[in-house]
Each structure stands twice: as C-alpha cells, then as structure tokens.
Amino acid sequence: EAQVTQNPRYLITVTGKKLTVTCSQNMNHEYMSWYRQDPGLGLRQIYYSMNVEVTDKGDVPEGYKVSRKEKRNFPLILESPSPNQTSLYFCASSFTGSYKSYEQYFGPGTRLTVT
Amino acid sequence: AQTVTQSQPEMSVQEAETVTLSCTYDTSESDYYLFWYKQPPSRQMILVIRQEAYKQQNATENRFSVNFQKAAKSFSLKISDSQLGDAAMYFCAYNTGNQFYFGTGTSLTVIP
C-alpha cells in the first residue's frame, strides 16, 4: 500500500529535550516536505527536499533541522524544543517532473506538545 | 511574498445543495499549480482537486469543480450535491515548483 508514515503519532515532551519525528514514504517520491498546522494559521512549510542530500528552508524553519540521506526518509529534528513548537506536524511527499505536478501525499500527522 | 487567502473561515450548506469556497492568491510567477485539500475530523489531508495554471479549462472531479480566474488570481471550489461526508476543513494551496503555500482554511458544515 502506497503511504507516508510518521512516528510517533503523539508526543509530549519537555522544553529542551531533543526529539526526532520520523517520516518515511514507499512511493519513490523525490520531493518531501514538513509542515506545521496551527489554529487560524493553516499549514506552513518548515523544510522541503527536492531529492537526496538536497534540502531547503520553507517559511518557518527556525528551531528545526532536517536531513535527507535516503530517498524514502526525511526526519524532522527539534534540537531544543520550546512551547511555541507545540503543534500538529505533517510530512508529505510527491513526484516532481517537467510539469511540476507536486500532488502531495500526506502522512497521518504527529501531535507534539512541549511543556 | 507568496500568499494564499481564504476569506471565509466558516461556511454551511444544506445537504444536496451547492456551495462555493473562495480562494485568492498572490504571485508573480506564470507557471504554478493550485490545489484544494480536504481535512476531515480524522486530520488526514486529502487532495480534492488540482489545477495547472497554464490550462484555461477549469478542473473537475465528480461533484467538485473549480473556477480558475488567472488574471484575478482567484481559485474557488464549488461542491455540488453536498453530502454529509463533505463536512471538513478545506485548504487552498499554491505551488510554484518548490515551496507550498496554504491558506488558513474554511470549515464547511453540512446541514442534514
């Protein structure tokens, strides 16, 4: 089954404790991306990756890191989480192509609470 | 800056009726894609419909269609014969090849 998986689905942590949210896709997609969703703000892009070893900042990258060592995986790292990073996080992936289709497939979301 | 505006935070529609959700965007690009995504209470993001900017013909997917006005930078979603399962948050999104920009969403209620 074609899918994007994220782990964990729910996470409660404390300020300053490093954490990683994993994202994996089995569709051989080149493009992968992370978003955060906050009430009244919609989805905002954190980082995206056009392919292996190619990552770039989205609109809200501060406080986050990513890496793309393998095509299927795109982990999101919070080195020192703070309460303002409490949010719902989505990973997404898609093909890229000459027509820039970018029809994204989303993971189920990770609800992160930082106390 | 690229922006996507959804001016209707909440909308409601009677079952079997038609509703239109509005979306405007700001860009200086000529080549881009526009999307409508649905987010039901399960929080899963589901693609509803996609429109390529270079195509003049409006996209349709069963009961869902768009009114794409490129000059006005407008991209509205029409839902015909509304069903209870259409109740959800709807997000308009814009992509120019790298970054994605989403609107703040419209919460649609379907009244039986």
Side-chain angles (χ1 to χ4, degrees):
Chain A
E1 179 189 356
Q3 60 182 350
V4 179
T5 57
Q6 293 179 230
N7 283 293
R9 296 287 310 278
Y10 300 90
L11 179 61
I12 301 174
T13 190
V14 296
T15 299
K17 185 177 182 181
K18 180 180 179 179
L19 65 92
T20 299
V21 184
T22 65
C23 173
S24 183
Q25 50 95 3
N26 62 1
M27 295 168 280
N28 202 35
H29 286 163
E30 299 92 354
Y31 186 93
M32 296 187 75
S33 180
W34 277 102
Y35 300 89
R36 60 178 290 173
Q37 182 179 3
D38 302 290
L41 297 178
L43 278 77
R44 292 178 293 167
Q45 195 169 34
I46 302 170
Y47 271 95
Y48 62 94
S49 170
M50 300 294 290
N51 215 321
V52 176
E53 301 291 0
V54 181
T55 62
D56 211 340
K57 297 177 181 178
D59 269 353
V60 288
E62 296 79 17
Y64 305 94
K65 286 177 59 177
V66 294
S67 68
R68 187 94 181 273
K69 294 183 172 60
E70 303 167 286
K71 197 171 188 179
R72 63 182 293 129
N73 295 324
F74 190 46
L76 179 69
I77 303 158
L78 285 72
E79 295 270 3
S80 182
S82 63
N84 65 12
Q85 293 179 296
T86 293
S87 187
L88 177 59
Y89 291 86
F90 285 100
C91 179
S93 70
S94 66
F95 288 115
T96 62
S98 59
Y99 296 106
K100 302 178 183 178
S101 60
Y102 294 100
E103 188 173 305
Q104 293 190 104
Y105 292 77
F106 281 81
T110 295
R111 172 71 71 185
L112 172 65
T113 302
V114 183
T115 61
Chain B
Q2 324 279 11
T3 58
V4 179
T5 302
Q6 294 179 248
S7 59
Q8 307 152 314
E10 297 177 346
M11 292 280 286
S12 61
V13 62
Q14 291 285 143
E15 194 174 3
E17 296 296 308
T18 296
V19 65
T20 299
L21 309 183
S22 66
C23 173
T24 59
Y25 58 95
D26 185 24
T27 183
S28 56
E29 303 287 339
S30 59
D31 185 20
Y32 51 88
Y33 280 81
L34 295 160
F35 306 85
W36 277 98
Y37 281 90
K38 170 185 177 181
Q39 187 180 45
S42 67
R43 303 184 320 197
Q44 182 67 44
M45 293 290 289
I46 302 164
L47 178 66
V48 174
I49 201 165
R50 182 185 81 176
Q51 174 77 44
E52 294 90 338
Y54 63 87
K55 289 187 177 178
Q56 292 187 338
Q57 185 174 6
N58 290 324
T60 62
E61 287 287 342
N62 301 313
R63 298 182 293 107
F64 299 88
S65 62
V66 298
N67 183 6
F68 174 48
Q69 302 288 329
K70 191 172 183 179
K73 296 178 184 175
S74 171
F75 182 60
S76 60
L77 175 69
K78 185 171 82 171
I79 306 174
S80 303
D81 185 26
S82 297
Q83 301 175 358
L84 295 178
D86 294 334
M89 182 72 83
Y90 287 82
F91 292 99
C92 177
Y94 158 92
N95 167 259
T96 187
N98 296 324
Q99 286 190 251
F100 271 85
Y101 301 91
F102 283 78
T104 53
T106 296
S107 178
L108 179 66
T109 300
V110 180
I111 303 165

